[in-house]
Amino acid sequence: MDTGTTALMLCCIIGLTMMIPGLALFYGGMVSVKSSVNMMMMTYGAVAVVGLLWFLFGFSVVFGDSIGGVLGNPFDFFGSSGLLEATTSYDGVTTLIFSLFQALFACITVALISGAAADRMKFSAWMVFAGVWAAVVYFPVAHWVFSFDGVVSESGGWIANRLGAIDFAGGTAVHINAGAAALALALVLGKSKTFGTGPKPHNVPLTLLGAGLLWAGWYAFNGGSWLTADGGAAFAMVTTFLATCAATLAWLAVEKLKDGHVSGIGAASGAIAGLVAITPACGAVTPVGAILVGLVAGVVCPLAVGLKEKLGYDDSLDVVGVHLVGGLIGTLMIGLVGSAESVNAVEGLLYGGGVGQLGKQALAAGAVLAYSFLVSALLAYVLKVTMGLRISPEDEELGIDARLHRDPAYELV
């Protein structure tokens, strides 16, 4: 066991765990004062149910021996069998530590989707959706993207091994996956009563605090994905920092040009857009390339967010505009500005690498988007006609916290 790498991964697990309250605060501050507790509970509820499913069979579905490059064998590590042994998975990291690190990826990915269902979805329906979605969408897609031959099992997923697309830490498996699911859920769920009247964040400081915690945790998200305590992890952290700075400034510039002001929600959203976009590319682009990735995300994502009212889908907290679009930007820009000087050593089109890598990136992104959207829409529709997805109009008017939970965020007079 490599003690240095083990120490790094344990610290990264703590950093990823910080993202749980970070996401809860980020989302909770952006919704109505009447539903902030519910919004935060959707994050914690998703983490709880997905965490258990991961150690029961999720790790095995993702990292078990591949069945046709599509699915890991669910019985290889069923019930976490074999994970307690002092075996290594990659460069001296024990399988148990690796499993916990990847479990938090799964939990956070599912929790991201909840932003598209703010203010109007039954908590019970959300919990069922979260668990089933993890099992039938996230686990298979994560196998495609994260399971390399010989890392834990002998054979892995088709994107990781056969296609050759680059996804350092989850632009496809995490962000495109969650964003496509959020779009499907929003369409099946329908519009909230306040759709079209503009966002009503009740506590911008909470959202900014949440964004800061997410930013801190993202170093663990990206740097830890190198799975070795050396310069590769540091490289990913530096590009993560630069892209986030660039995207924040770009988002604020777009706000100023469009609306004549800059906002706290814009700063927080810009930072998250940069973090999302650099996630797949943090090991494939130089520091200058990371700035370009951040600038593109900071310009395109706010414009994409502005389309939801024109297109008529109620993505309450902009999961589609930030995570789906940002994930697509980062994934595709590897094929444009990937550099041989990066730790992934892949050359994009603008660095003389031709269109081959861009085509691989596009195929990976398109496959994940299509699979996630279709299966998520089917799952949401089945829940809609069986247990129901939405709270009643009366409950929505009164506030979801007051109707479904005993402990509101604030004592309102």
Side-chain angles (χ1 to χ4, degrees), residues 116-141:
D119 296 321
R120 63 198 191 279
M121 187 173 184
K122 293 180 180 178
F123 186 71
S124 57
W126 163 250
M127 292 294 285
V128 174
F129 180 90
V132 178
W133 189 87
V136 301
V137 180
Y138 180 80
F139 295 163
V141 170

Side-chain angles (χ1 to χ4, degrees), residues 126-348:
W126 163 250
M127 292 294 285
V128 174
F129 180 90
V132 178
W133 189 87
V136 301
V137 180
Y138 180 80
F139 295 163
V141 170
H143 177 75
W144 303 353
V145 176
F146 292 144
S147 183
F148 290 88
D149 291 348
V151 173
V152 175
S153 297
E154 294 182 2
S155 57
W158 70 274
I159 290 178
N161 295 291
R162 294 169 178 79
L163 180 61
I166 302 294
D167 188 349
F168 196 93
T172 53
V174 175
H175 299 294
I176 293 175
N177 202 4
L183 178 59
L185 180 60
L187 291 173
V188 176
L189 192 59
K191 303 172 187 176
S192 66
K193 293 174 65 67
T194 59
F195 179 71
T197 61
K200 291 182 173 61
H202 88 278
N203 195 322
V204 176
L206 278 187
T207 295
L208 286 166
L209 175 59
L213 288 172
L214 288 169
W215 190 336
W218 229 287
Y219 293 123
F221 206 94
N222 289 354
S225 293
W226 185 246
L227 297 178
T228 308
D230 63 16
F235 187 97
M237 291 182 182
V238 168
T239 54
T240 298
F241 175 73
L242 293 172
T244 308
C245 292
T248 303
L249 294 175
W251 190 298
L252 293 177
V254 171
E255 262 194 344
K256 181 67 175 178
L257 291 172
K258 284 182 60 183
D259 306 323
H261 61 259
V262 295
S263 69
I265 294 295
S269 299
I272 300 304
L275 290 164
V276 169
I278 200 60
T279 295
C282 58
V285 298
T286 64
V288 172
I291 294 172
L292 291 174
V293 170
L295 289 174
V296 172
V299 170
V300 175
C301 287
L303 299 177
V305 166
L307 293 176
K308 64 182 181 180
E309 293 182 5
K310 295 179 181 179
L311 298 178
Y313 64 92
D314 188 358
D315 173 25
S316 309
L317 303 186
D318 305 325
V319 186
V320 177
V322 173
H323 292 275
L324 176 57
V325 175
L328 287 169
I329 289 169
T331 300
L332 295 176
M333 285 197 70
I334 295 171
L336 294 175
V337 296
S339 171
E341 297 179 5
S342 67
V343 294
N344 285 146
V346 58
E347 289 189 337

Side-chain angles (χ1 to χ4, degrees), residues 11-28 39-40 42-44 47 101 103-109 111-112 114 169 174-175 207 209-225 240 271-272 275-276 279 323:
C11 290
C12 287
I13 287 168
I14 296 171
L16 285 170
T17 306
M18 287 175 54
M19 297 179 78
I20 299 169
L23 183 62
L25 291 168
F26 179 74
Y27 278 172
M39 192 72 255
M40 294 182 177
M42 291 176 84
T43 293
Y44 279 87
V47 171
F101 179 72
L104 287 160
F105 273 58
C107 294
I108 291 165
T109 301
L112 289 174
S114 65
V174 175
H175 299 294
T207 295
L209 175 59
L213 288 172
L214 288 169
W215 190 336
W218 229 287
Y219 293 123
F221 206 94
N222 289 354
S225 293
T240 298
I272 300 304
L275 290 164
V276 169
T279 295
H323 292 275

